[in-house]
Amino acid sequence: MKEVVRQALLDPRNTWSIGTFGAIGEFRWDAGEETLHTDALSRVTKRAAIRITPADDIKIIAFETLAADGKSWHNDVAFCMKRTAEADKPHVVRELGPDRDALREDQRDAILFDLGVGIGHVHMCARTHDPDHIKFMRSLEGLSIFSEQARHLHADTLRAQPHRVMLSPLGRLEVYQEIPHPNGKSPEGPHTHLIAKSITSGRTHAATDPIPEGYQPILTLHPGSPWRDVLGHEQPFSDEKDAAFLALWNQYALPDEHAIAKTVRETVTAGTAPRPDVWPDTRRGRTTARVALRRLTQKRDANVAAWASQFDNIPADQDAELLAE
């Protein structure tokens, strides 16, 4: 794991996240951006910071999910740990004291509060020096941030602009950029999301992610997309970035997804007409097969159009609805 992390942290095209479904923090850095500190497993900028602490009992899963535009896909590498009953704390606000492990020295006397919205091994926290915000947060000790007593929390958070700190057994991710006001736009680069409706689902990850039963992703690498730049703008397909992810996928994808992609590649490139009997009968299997078809389209395989017409022809709006399930 350590070498995968070390290499990935060197590439500014990659994004990292720590979080659960609805409570997540994201880190990335730009080429040429001022770095306050960096070493093999951490990086601190003026906008955010990350420190990763590798562990031996981690299951690494590389996978792809469909994009709703009908032609592209997303790449992810999830670092997972078994979820245990001991990891599930009550979903309430808890003061954790001065953040002695803060990645910036000037923040090690700031007070850290667990917001009680993480699930399992992952915690979303807020860190502040602001005395009024500290007082307000202390008044919520043992309560849910969705309780009546916390009705002014959002307004006071916008005023105080605390740092957000995501904690997991594999390290921490800190975001210093401001939280946008209502109807405002999230800042480019590192940011956090806190979505109440998603949090209450109790899920640790999206339904489209092939995380094995009993496991929880506690750190995720989002490799540079072959389709988009770091700001999400579409660009010509990059064989180089696709090959970089495939090196990880070849090593860490689930065995059945390897087998499905191999079957699709070999069957289509052999010039075989579309065959429903070789098409997967599971949701994840169909996703893997559809990504394989989309990748073959980029390789200009002459036979892929017939297969895509039969098996990868869901309209974009229906596709987006399917992916959100």
Side-chain angles (χ1 to χ4, degrees):
M1 174 185 171
K2 183 176 181 179
E3 184 59 19
V4 172
V5 169
R6 188 187 72 79
Q7 291 288 345
L9 276 173
L10 292 172
D11 192 339
R13 297 174 299 182
N14 295 333
T15 298
W16 297 84
S17 67
I18 292 177
T20 60
F21 198 62
I24 191 167
E26 298 182 12
F27 172 87
R28 72 170 178 81
W29 60 282
D30 293 333
E33 180 176 6
E34 180 182 358
T35 298
L36 305 179
H37 168 80
T38 185
D39 57 40
L41 298 173
S42 67
R43 182 174 292 269
V44 181
T45 72
K46 291 183 177 180
R47 298 186 296 171
I50 189 169
R51 179 175 63 212
I52 299 172
T53 308
D56 294 329
D57 57 342
I58 298 299
K59 189 176 187 66
I60 305 177
I61 303 171
F63 62 95
E64 299 159 319
T65 52
L66 296 165
D69 58 10
K71 67 177 183 180
S72 66
W73 58 89
H74 307 292
N75 301 327
D76 295 287
V77 181
F79 299 82
C80 306
M81 176 179 281
K82 285 188 175 180
R83 187 173 171 183
T84 62
E86 293 77 19
D88 285 319
K89 299 287 195 301
H91 290 187
V92 295
V93 174
R94 295 184 299 131
E95 180 177 345
L96 303 180
D99 190 11
R100 304 302 187 197
D101 294 324
L103 293 172
R104 279 175 34 181
E105 188 173 354
D106 66 335
Q107 294 297 314
R108 290 173 188 165
D109 61 345
I111 304 302
L112 188 67
F113 293 91
D114 187 332
L115 298 179
V117 294
I119 295 175
H121 297 290
V122 173
H123 301 272
M124 177 178 251
C125 304
R127 183 178 67 210
T128 184
H129 282 108
D130 186 290
D132 291 332
H133 194 57
I134 292 171
K135 180 179 179 181
F136 183 75
M137 292 300 297
R138 283 174 172 165
S139 74
L140 301 180
E141 180 78 27
L143 302 174
S144 166
I145 65 168
F146 305 117
S147 65
E148 173 62 20
Q149 295 92 327
R151 63 188 181 279
H152 299 304
L153 174 60
H154 186 242
D156 200 59
T157 297
L158 290 176
R159 178 197 62 78
Q161 290 293 334
H163 292 172
R164 281 81 69 212
V165 181
M166 305 301 304
L167 302 177
S168 99
L170 288 184
R172 60 165 53 210
L173 188 157
E174 305 179 0
V175 176
Y176 314 138
Q177 296 204 101
E178 287 199 351
I179 303 168
H181 286 258
N183 302 317
K185 182 181 178 182
S186 292
E188 293 181 352
H191 61 279
T192 52
H193 290 292
L194 180 57
I195 305 171
K197 182 178 178 181
S198 298
I199 292 166
T200 55
S201 73
R203 287 157 51 181
T204 63
H205 55 276
T208 51
D209 298 351
I211 307 303
E213 185 70 28
Y215 280 83
Q216 173 184 4
I218 56 175
L219 172 72
T220 304
L221 164 65
H222 311 278
S225 168
W227 292 97
R228 296 170 183 83
D229 63 19
V230 292
L231 297 180
H233 301 143
E234 190 169 341
Q235 61 182 11
F237 184 79
S238 168
D239 287 310
E240 182 269 328
K241 287 200 285 186
D242 191 43
F245 173 72
L246 282 175
L248 293 169
W249 188 88
N250 288 334
Q251 185 173 0
Y252 296 113
L254 296 173
D256 57 341
E257 299 196 359
H258 273 294
I260 289 169
K262 182 175 184 289
T263 297
V264 170
R265 285 195 306 270
E266 292 179 348
T267 306
V268 174
T269 57
T272 307
R275 290 176 48 190
D277 62 299
V278 303
W279 198 247
D281 58 3
T282 66
R283 179 179 179 178
R284 265 308 302 177
R286 290 189 293 271
T287 292
T288 301
R290 289 174 68 185
V291 171
L293 289 180
R294 294 183 183 190
R295 184 171 276 115
L296 285 172
T297 298
Q298 299 309 307
K299 305 301 181 185
R300 307 293 191 271
D301 186 278
N303 191 39
V304 73
W307 283 77
S309 177
Q310 181 162 343
F311 297 116
D312 190 26
N313 60 355
I314 299 175
D317 57 345
Q318 295 180 27
D319 212 5
E321 184 176 337
L322 172 67
L323 298 180
E325 290 180 1

